[in-house]
């Protein structure tokens, strides 16, 4: 008697201990709920700066002008952030962790 996978067909292609690269919401949506131990994220910061921004130590913050960090407005950025965080919450095990790189 064979053993059937409990994972949805699209998730069967993913191996354990795999780094998924691509659109995060798309990749996360392919995974079953409560199946992931760790999500490590380095999300866009929405740092298209029109003026100079300085840290408390007065060092200058470089803005980002790459396409992956462009959002039409703050509402679009907030919507994106809510969407990927919701998917992370869905796929993380109750004992899972979310590590986020921030600026």
């Amino acid at each position: 008697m064979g053993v059937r996978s409990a994972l949805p067909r699209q998730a069967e292609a993913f191996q354990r201990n795999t780094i998924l690269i691509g659109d995060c919401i798309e990749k996360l949506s392919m995974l079953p709920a409560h199946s992931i131990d760790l999500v490590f994220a380095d999300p866009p910061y929405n740092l298209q700066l029109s003026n100079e921004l300085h840290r408390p130590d007065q060092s200058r913050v470089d803005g980002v002008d790459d396409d992956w960090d462009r959002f039409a407005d703050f509402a679009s950025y907030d919507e994106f952030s809510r969407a990927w965080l919701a998917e992370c919450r869905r796929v993380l095990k109750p004992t899972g962790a979310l590590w986020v790189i921030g600026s």
Side-chain angles (χ1 to χ4, degrees):
M1 177 176 212
V3 177
R4 276 178 93 70
S5 171
L7 298 176
R9 182 167 297 285
Q10 68 268 28
E12 289 177 7
F14 296 121
Q15 301 295 317
R16 289 181 65 128
N17 303 317
T18 299
I19 296 171
L20 303 178
I21 299 172
D23 179 284
C24 64
I25 298 169
E26 177 185 320
K27 296 293 184 182
L28 287 166
S29 71
M30 298 170 71
L31 299 173
H34 313 295
S35 64
I36 301 297
D37 293 306
L38 173 69
V39 173
F40 182 93
D42 186 4
Y45 306 130
N46 197 27
L47 277 179
Q48 295 111 46
L49 304 175
S50 56
N51 298 314
E52 287 196 13
L53 177 63
H54 292 88
R55 296 178 185 92
D57 68 359
Q58 297 308 309
S59 61
R60 186 176 174 276
V61 174
D62 289 326
V64 178
D65 57 7
D66 297 321
D67 287 340
W68 58 263
D69 194 56
R70 291 184 193 274
F71 293 87
D73 50 37
F74 287 122
S76 298
Y77 179 69
D78 290 347
E79 181 180 335
F80 166 76
S81 296
R82 279 190 212 84
W84 76 263
L85 286 166
E87 279 299 307
C88 289
R89 184 176 193 182
R90 184 186 68 77
V91 301
L92 281 170
K93 294 177 180 177
T95 57
L98 170 64
W99 293 3
V100 180
I101 300 296
S103 178

